[in-house]
Amino acid sequence: MKGQIGQLMQQAQRMQEDMKRAQDELAKTEVTGSAGGGLVSVTMSGGHEVRAVHIDRQAFADDPEMAEDLVAAAVNDAVNKIAEISRSRLGGVTAGLNLPAGFKMPF
């Protein structure tokens, strides 16, 4: 019994280290979300920090409201890309464990 608990604790510690490493890598990742066929683009870090916004101003001279909508769509696109990368990288850390459905890491 003691050996099993010790192994479980070691596995949890390795998983915690792997999770930290994956989170650090994710924080360094940048993605670009776009909308309107590239008329608007948003560059975002893995920590959901917007680093840059590009708007083709000439295309929106007569319709600034459309530009606002496309900025929102580009931000959402970037957020979705970060979420997918996060699921991919952080999901691999817990792949070897038989965790119940819906169980969230870290604790």
Side-chain angles (χ1 to χ4, degrees):
M1 181 76 168
K2 264 188 173 181
Q4 290 176 345
I5 292 174
Q7 287 176 341
L8 184 62
M9 294 298 288
Q10 287 177 346
Q11 185 180 15
Q13 184 175 3
R14 279 192 305 273
M15 186 178 64
Q16 185 177 17
E17 291 166 359
D18 291 344
M19 179 74 73
K20 174 72 171 131
R21 191 171 18 262
Q23 288 172 333
D24 290 345
E25 287 176 17
L26 182 62
K28 295 175 188 173
T29 300
E30 283 191 354
V31 300
T32 300
S34 63
L39 294 175
V40 175
S41 64
V42 173
T43 302
M44 181 178 286
S45 74
H48 296 98
E49 179 180 310
V50 174
R51 300 278 169 93
V53 176
H54 171 75
I55 300 171
D56 184 344
R57 288 174 181 82
Q58 290 180 340
F60 301 110
D62 296 330
D63 193 358
E65 289 82 18
M66 182 179 283
E68 293 169 354
D69 291 342
L70 290 177
V71 168
V75 169
N76 288 335
D77 185 40
V79 167
N80 290 333
K81 287 179 180 180
I82 290 294
E84 181 59 35
I85 292 170
S86 180
R87 277 190 296 275
S88 172
R89 291 188 185 172
L90 299 179
V93 173
T94 60
L97 299 176
N98 291 325
L99 298 175
F103 190 81
K104 305 235 182 212
M105 291 293 288
F107 305 103

